[in-house]
Amino acid sequence: MEPSLFSSALLIARKDLAIEFRTRTAFFSAVVFAVLAMVIFFFAWDPTSVAAIDLAPGVLWVIFTFAGLLGLQRSFNMEQADRAIDGLLASPAPREAIYLGKALANLVFVGAVEAVTILGVALFYNMPFGGRALALAGLAFLAAVGLVAVGTLFSAMAVNTRLAELLLPVLSLPFFLPIVMPAAQATAKLLAGRPIAEAAGWWKVLIAFDIVFVVACTLAFPFTLEE
Amino acid sequence: MSDAPVIEVRGLTRAFGARRAVDGIDFALETGDCLALFGPNGAGKTTLLRMLAGLLKPTSGTARIGGVTLPGGAAVRAAVGIISHEHMLYDALTARENVEFTARLYGVRDPRDAALRALERMRMLDRADTLVRALSRGLKQRVSIARAMVHGPQVVLLDEPFTGLDAAGAAALTAMLCELKRDGAALILVTHNLSEGLELATHAAIMRDGRFVRYEPCAMLDAVEYAVSYRELVIRGA
Amino acid sequence: MSESVVREHSPAPAAVQSTHVGADWLLVVAILAVLGTAVRAIYFTPVDALQGAAQKIFYVHAPSAFVALYMAFALVALMSALFLWLKDLRFDRVAESSAEVGVIFTTVVLTTGPIWGKAAWGTWWTWDARLTATLFLWFIYVGYLVLRGAIDDRMMRARYSAVLGLLGALLIPFIHLSVYLFRTLHPMPIVFKPSAPSLSPEMLHTFLLALGSFALLFIALLRIRYRLAVARDELAAQEER
């Protein structure tokens, strides 16, 4: 009768996505931000000295980081209003399920924003990724997992502090470097048509980061709850 | 199993830094009991309820629900329902979606039906598909109550549940509480309404500065004397 | 109203009073040690053939880096873990103190590094793994202190800081690895080799003395800062009553 870790997490994820789908404001804000940023980045560089395609990987992953942050803010905001989080904490659902469920919902959110960003960059920067789509999707997934693992935990913490909106980026961004760097470098190799094996080091860093921080953040999450 | 008290509290204490919000509380409730908990604001009533709901860990002392020492894990939390000051609802979802989500969270069979039945008992069936955001405060309170009861808890903790309810809502809640008592649940009811509280209760306590300054079964108290005492301890003395 | 509460509840505890009665003896010793080492470094240690006098910044830069990471941050991480395990606020106070002192040492590393780089090789900043990792260490320290400043609840502040402290400790190796990988795959002019230069025996002696005196300075500052943390918590507890 008591729900398991995964079924509770899925339930919470579905609830989060239902709420996001109903309002959609966060998603649209993130998408609009991404598109604007792409445009601004393009005009911030001298097109004769830097080819758009050289710019593309950097732009893609920088935007991914900041757009992702926009989505992470709302994750625990919805639980703070009217103390809905108490409803979750008083239930038999395991504490870790709250973290995993929200992280899962954030993953879907970030993934969707990422997809739009990749399409946007492909369009604006003439970035051909036809044959490499699968590899790029793999990178996108791995990067999103890392971002969401750390970001979900910090948003759980930030929501309980003053300066919540400022604190989330200040805490999270240092942790995003080992995600953005490998992702951007590996993407550059992909676009240059190099075999994936050449970027093996970067892929490994990304995978290692994901494993370490998903575990660490899941274990750390219960400490962010009031007891 | 039926001999053990449903709720048993011994020397329960909760400190926040140097301040003791709950300071050595003792009581025990059997199935079908209802404790009316009175006291001024800041007495520690909410903190006491939050500990019993598993939201706070005691600093010292023990609290047992169904024989299991708190914080006892999922099984204990599944048997407890709490109504607190905040309504714990998601604004962007409908009344039915909120209650159904809670039903699923507690592993209730047929969560959809259970949610509708809970809403019906609080006379919210016709507004079941309204977004919580669009409901008035009193109606939100009704949904909050439905949410707290949907899993058929054996221990129900109510923190000023009548707040914001109109006559119809209050009647629905009272009916539900009587039914729960009959079915063997143990209730703790925090209220500022003396007569309402005593009407439903089997036990009464007055809490001040984290302690019970009065605690007795309702059968043994005299209504007039209690009212005087209540005025002294709760209204004037606060 | 808080003033009357403080007066009422006895004079300040002895721990606070001792920092008022003259200077702390350990701090004096440490400062003398640092000054002594500085004198030795400037006047009694050979000048590096390649880099000239600028190399002497090494005797400030490298010990500070050691203290910042292997003493201050390691202590923050250790205290964070102990706090989460045992829930004793004393661990949190040590972590807090270590972080504040650590950020100072880290700032010293980040300022002496560019000065050294510019003086010796003509570039202000190089993205080598060590310096970049130190920069991120600085970010984590700052984040840690900002987080603490944003939480009023004492226990929550301790718990959240501890979580950040531990996660930060996990991050540093990843930063180091990422930047190292970046540099090996993108060869950049190698201008910075802070640890590799071969040191003559006198240079090594001076370096070790510098290391020792900086470590002493760290401990002295940590002690003073810890007493401040104890006093602040006691004051806060009294105000609550």
Side-chain angles (χ1 to χ4, degrees):
Chain A
M1 180 168 151
E2 278 124 38
S4 72
L5 176 66
F6 287 113
S7 64
S8 303
L10 272 173
L11 188 59
I12 291 169
R14 270 173 38 206
K15 181 262 298 174
D16 272 25
L17 288 171
I19 292 175
E20 182 50 46
F21 196 69
R22 186 96 20 102
T23 55
R24 283 184 285 261
T25 38
F27 180 70
F28 282 137
S29 307
V31 165
V32 167
F33 165 81
V35 173
L36 281 171
M38 278 185 254
V39 173
I40 291 175
F41 270 121
F42 186 86
F43 287 111
W45 260 271
D46 176 3
T48 56
S49 61
V50 183
I53 194 176
D54 292 331
L55 209 50
V59 168
L60 175 62
W61 294 108
V62 168
I63 292 177
F64 153 80
T65 308
F66 289 96
L69 274 173
L70 281 178
L72 289 166
Q73 294 278 14
R74 62 172 234 316
S75 181
F76 276 90
N77 278 342
M78 70 169 76
E79 307 292 345
Q80 187 76 334
D82 307 314
R83 298 292 306 177
I85 185 94
D86 280 350
L88 294 176
L89 293 173
S91 79
R95 302 310 193 228
E96 291 80 5
I98 300 175
Y99 171 77
L100 287 174
K102 288 198 159 290
L104 205 57
N106 284 335
L107 189 61
V108 172
F109 182 95
V110 168
V113 174
E114 230 176 349
V116 171
T117 310
I118 290 175
L119 287 174
V121 172
L123 180 70
F124 289 137
Y125 293 74
N126 301 308
M127 183 181 85
F129 57 83
R132 294 357 257 299
L134 203 58
L136 191 59
L139 272 180
F141 176 75
L142 290 172
V145 167
L147 183 95
V148 158
V150 172
T152 304
L153 179 71
F154 284 148
S155 88
M157 285 167 51
V159 83
N160 286 320
T161 66
R162 292 178 267 129
L163 325 164
E165 273 81 41
L166 181 61
L167 213 57
L168 184 59
V170 167
L171 294 180
S172 311
L173 285 172
F175 288 82
F176 292 165
L177 184 73
I179 300 172
V180 171
M181 198 199 296
Q185 298 299 322
T187 304
K189 287 255 188 272
L190 276 181
L191 293 182
R194 314 298 303 157
I196 292 185
E198 261 189 41
W202 294 120
W203 285 80
K204 284 187 206 157
V205 172
L206 204 46
I207 291 171
F209 182 93
D210 281 357
I211 295 173
V212 167
F213 278 90
V214 167
V215 171
C217 292
T218 309
L219 292 175
F221 179 74
F223 291 103
T224 66
L225 304 167
E226 181 192 15
E227 287 276 336
Chain B
M1 188 196 103
S2 50
D3 279 354
V6 176
I7 306 178
E8 193 183 350
V9 171
R10 293 262 163 273
L12 194 62
T13 303
R14 170 72 198 203
F16 293 102
R19 187 178 64 91
R20 294 228 184 132
V22 174
D23 195 2
I25 297 284
D26 296 289
F27 68 92
L29 295 177
E30 316 275 339
T31 57
D33 280 350
C34 172
L35 170 65
L37 187 51
F38 305 108
N41 291 337
K45 310 188 293 294
T46 301
T47 309
L48 176 61
L49 256 52
R50 284 178 72 85
M51 277 196 278
L52 293 173
L55 296 171
L56 279 179
K57 277 204 193 103
T59 310
S60 61
T62 50
R64 268 192 272 270
I65 292 186
V68 179
T69 308
L70 293 179
V76 173
R77 296 201 298 266
V80 177
I82 178 162
I83 295 166
S84 62
H85 288 294
E86 313 280 350
H87 54 65
M88 300 189 281
L89 300 173
Y90 296 103
D91 264 355
L93 298 179
T94 66
R96 187 183 53 77
E97 283 167 345
N98 268 281
V99 181
E100 198 179 318
F101 169 69
T102 305
R104 285 185 205 276
L105 206 57
Y106 280 77
V108 173
R109 254 198 345 231
D110 299 321
R112 183 156 287 208
D113 287 332
L116 291 172
R117 265 182 285 125
L119 286 169
E120 188 181 21
R121 283 161 89 187
M122 287 310 295
R123 311 203 191 150
M124 282 298 292
L125 200 55
D126 56 337
R127 304 293 298 271
D129 289 312
T130 316
L131 291 180
V132 166
R133 181 183 301 142
L135 295 173
S136 70
R137 185 160 176 251
L139 294 185
K140 279 185 195 169
Q141 181 71 355
R142 292 198 205 176
V143 178
S144 183
I145 294 166
R147 194 202 75 81
M149 313 288 205
V150 69
H151 59 282
Q154 292 163 290
V155 170
V156 188
L157 310 166
L158 305 115
D159 202 347
E160 299 178 42
F162 289 96
T163 312
L165 290 180
D166 59 4
L173 177 57
T174 310
M176 186 181 248
L177 293 181
C178 291
E179 204 182 304
L180 279 169
K181 271 167 58 183
R182 240 188 359 251
D183 292 338
L187 313 177
I188 299 182
L189 171 66
V190 172
T191 177
H192 286 298
N193 187 322
L194 182 61
S195 51
E196 215 166 50
L198 290 179
E199 198 184 304
L200 287 162
T202 57
H203 295 70
I206 297 181
M207 193 169 179
R208 272 186 59 173
D209 299 319
R211 295 208 175 99
F212 279 1
V213 290
R214 273 192 79 148
Y215 174 64
E216 58 236 273
C218 286
M220 298 195 354
L221 64 84
D222 170 72
V224 174
E225 182 273 330
Y226 204 77
V228 172
S229 191
Y230 179 90
R231 245 200 319 277
E232 225 9 86
L233 293 168
V234 178
I235 302 172
R236 218 166 280 156
Chain C
M1 190 206 128
S2 53
E3 282 158 21
S4 64
V5 172
V6 171
R7 271 207 296 278
E8 205 177 302
H9 289 280
S10 81
V16 175
Q17 282 180 330
S18 69
T19 59
H20 293 312
V21 179
D24 181 72
W25 65 267
L26 187 62
L27 183 62
V28 172
V29 168
I31 291 177
L32 287 175
V34 170
L35 287 174
T37 316
V39 167
R40 185 192 152 103
I42 296 173
Y43 295 111
F44 299 104
T45 308
V47 179
D48 182 85
L50 277 163
Q51 302 173 34
Q55 182 268 346
K56 305 236 173 178
I57 298 180
F58 165 77
Y59 298 112
V60 174
H61 179 85
S64 295
F66 179 86
V67 168
L69 182 61
Y70 294 109
M71 290 183 77
F73 196 69
L75 197 58
V76 171
L78 180 63
M79 290 295 122
S80 295
L82 285 173
F83 174 79
L84 289 179
W85 179 26
L86 297 169
K87 305 282 194 276
D88 190 332
L89 274 177
R90 280 176 299 183
F91 295 125
D92 178 65
R93 284 183 211 126
V94 177
E96 170 189 34
S97 312
S98 194
E100 275 194 24
V101 178
V103 77
I104 297 173
F105 280 89
T106 314
T107 309
V108 168
V109 177
L110 292 175
T111 42
T112 53
I115 293 174
W116 185 13
K118 181 66 180 167
W121 297 292
T123 43
W124 285 108
W125 186 269
T126 67
W127 290 99
D128 82 309
R130 279 186 130 99
L131 201 57
T132 309
T134 308
L135 181 64
F136 275 77
L137 183 64
W138 192 85
F139 288 141
I140 294 172
Y141 272 133
V142 168
Y144 183 90
L145 295 171
V146 170
L147 179 65
R148 290 192 76 96
I151 303 175
D152 295 321
D153 183 309
R154 186 67 185 88
M155 284 304 280
M156 186 187 283
R157 190 188 317 150
R159 265 182 301 132
Y160 281 22
S161 310
V163 167
L164 183 62
L166 284 174
L167 289 177
L170 283 176
L171 179 68
I172 296 292
F174 274 99
I175 301 288
H176 209 272
L177 178 62
S178 302
V179 181
Y180 173 78
L181 204 56
F182 187 88
R183 289 188 66 92
T184 50
L185 295 181
H186 299 270
M188 287 162 72
I190 300 183
V191 292
F192 225 39
K193 292 180 79 173
S195 64
S198 44
L199 298 170
S200 71
E202 292 123 322
M203 287 173 148
L204 188 60
H205 276 139
T206 308
F207 171 68
L208 290 173
L209 281 172
L211 197 58
S213 62
F214 272 73
L216 204 60
L217 184 63
F218 170 73
I219 294 169
L221 291 170
L222 182 68
R223 250 174 42 137
I224 294 172
R225 182 58 185 78
Y226 179 75
R227 287 196 207 119
L228 176 64
V230 171
R232 281 209 316 220
D233 278 350
E234 281 181 11
L235 182 64
Q238 284 174 353
E239 276 176 3
E240 252 178 46
R241 280 193 217 110

